[in-house]
Amino acid sequence: MMMFPSFRQGLALSRTVFFTPIRHGSGRKVGKHGKPRWKPVAPSKEFILPPQDRSSQEEKDQYDLLWDQYRDQLSAVSQFLWEEHLKNSEVGEAAKIEDGRELEEQNQLILQNEAENAILEDKRKHRLKEEALQKEEAIRADVQRELAKEKELNEKADAFVLQQIAELKDRITEENLLQRIQSALDNPVDYEYAIDKEGHIYKGRYTKSLLIPSEEREKIPTPKQEDIYIEVQSS
C-alpha cells in the first residue's frame, strides 16, 4: 500500500524541492552551506535517497491556495500597519492635522498678541499725553510762581529804594556843608539819656526826671513796622 505524505510533510518537501539557490557576485549558483564537492558522501547517508514530493495535485493546489491567502492577508495587515504608521508618524495625516492645528493656534496667538500690543500702545499714548499735560501745567505753575516772586521782590526793592531816597533828603552835600556845621555848633545835640523802670526815657545829661510831670514823660516807642529786607535768591 502506497503511503502519501501529510499536508505538513508536503509543505516541508515543497520547501526542500522548490528551494531557490542564492546567486553571489560570481554568478554561480550556491546552495545551502555543506561539505565541499570533493568530499565523498558520509557512510550514514550513502544509501539514503533524497525525499521526493509525492503529494497529489489537490494537496498542491490546496497548499498554493493557502499560501496565496496567507500572503494576501499578510500584505493586508502590513498595508494596514503602514497606513497607521503614516497617520501617527511625523509625516503622516495625523501629524499634518496636528501641524495645521498648531499653526492655526500660533496664528491666533499672534493675532491676540498684536491686539494686546495695540491696546497697550493706545494706553501708552494716552498716558504720555496726560503726563505731557501735567508737565505743562506744572511748568506753567512754576513760571507763575517765579513771576509772583519776582514781582514781590521788585516791590520790596522799590520800597527800599524809596525809603533810602526819603532818608537821603537830609544828607550832607558839598553845597550845605558849611550850613550844617554852623547849625550843629548852634544847636548841640546831647546824646545822653536815662530810662526808668516803667520804660520812660529822659534825654540829656542835665535833665531831672523828678522835675518832669508824669503826663509829659516820653515812653519808649514800641516798633510797629518791621524793617524791610530785600531777599536775595541764590541762583
Side-chain angles (χ1 to χ4, degrees):
M1 183 176 179
M2 184 178 295
M3 298 294 294
F4 293 97
S6 63
F7 174 74
R8 184 175 298 176
Q9 293 176 352
L11 182 60
L13 290 174
S14 63
R15 290 179 179 177
T16 304
V17 173
F18 298 104
F19 172 74
T20 303
I22 303 173
R23 291 182 179 272
H24 292 281
S26 61
R28 296 175 56 191
K29 294 183 179 180
V30 181
K32 291 185 177 180
H33 294 285
K35 62 174 60 180
R37 293 182 179 181
W38 57 85
K39 288 189 177 183
V41 181
S44 60
K45 298 181 180 179
E46 185 174 1
F47 300 102
I48 296 178
L49 298 177
Q52 297 181 2
D53 185 11
R54 301 181 184 277
S55 302
S56 63
Q57 187 64 33
E58 294 179 357
E59 290 183 357
K60 293 180 180 180
D61 294 340
Q62 182 67 20
Y63 167 76
D64 294 337
L65 178 62
L66 294 175
W67 176 256
D68 293 339
Q69 291 179 357
Y70 166 75
R71 184 179 57 188
D72 294 341
Q73 292 175 0
L74 182 62
S75 299
V77 173
S78 300
Q79 183 66 23
F80 174 77
L81 294 177
W82 175 251
E83 291 177 357
E84 289 294 325
H85 170 70
L86 291 179
K87 289 181 180 179
N88 299 322
S89 63
E90 296 180 355
V91 296
E93 183 179 358
K96 293 180 180 179
I97 295 174
E98 183 67 20
D99 292 340
R101 187 183 64 80
E102 291 180 357
L103 181 61
E104 183 179 0
E105 183 179 359
Q106 183 179 3
N107 293 332
Q108 292 180 358
L109 292 176
I110 291 174
L111 293 177
Q112 292 178 1
N113 189 19
E114 291 178 353
E116 189 70 21
N117 290 336
I119 294 174
L120 293 177
E121 185 177 1
D122 293 338
K123 290 182 179 180
R124 188 183 302 108
K125 289 181 179 179
H126 184 68
R127 177 174 56 81
L128 292 176
K129 186 176 180 180
E130 289 183 353
E131 290 179 355
L133 292 176
Q134 293 177 0
K135 188 175 182 180
E136 184 178 356
E137 292 178 358
I139 293 174
R140 189 180 295 108
D142 292 339
V143 171
Q144 294 295 332
R145 192 181 303 109
E146 293 297 328
L147 291 176
K149 288 183 179 180
E150 185 177 359
K151 182 179 179 181
E152 183 180 359
L153 183 62
N154 292 333
E155 291 177 355
K156 289 183 178 181
D158 293 339
F160 179 76
V161 170
L162 293 176
Q163 181 183 2
Q164 294 297 320
I165 291 173
E167 292 178 356
L168 291 176
K169 287 182 179 180
D170 297 333
R171 71 183 183 278
I172 299 174
T173 61
E174 186 177 357
E175 289 79 9
N176 61 2
L177 177 59
L178 296 176
Q179 183 181 357
R180 287 298 183 90
I181 293 174
Q182 188 64 35
S183 176
L185 293 174
D186 295 340
N187 301 300
V189 179
D190 189 1
Y191 293 99
E192 297 292 335
Y193 64 91
I195 300 174
D196 59 6
K197 295 181 179 180
E198 286 77 15
H200 298 95
I201 184 171
Y202 305 97
K203 297 180 180 180
R205 67 182 64 187
Y206 301 109
T207 303
K208 303 296 183 179
S209 60
L210 297 177
L211 299 178
I212 298 176
S214 59
E215 61 273 5
E216 295 180 1
R217 294 177 181 177
E218 183 181 358
K219 189 79 172 177
I220 297 177
T222 303
K224 297 181 180 180
Q225 294 182 353
E226 296 181 356
D227 296 336
I228 300 175
Y229 297 96
I230 299 177
E231 296 180 0
V232 180
Q233 293 183 346
S234 59
S235 58

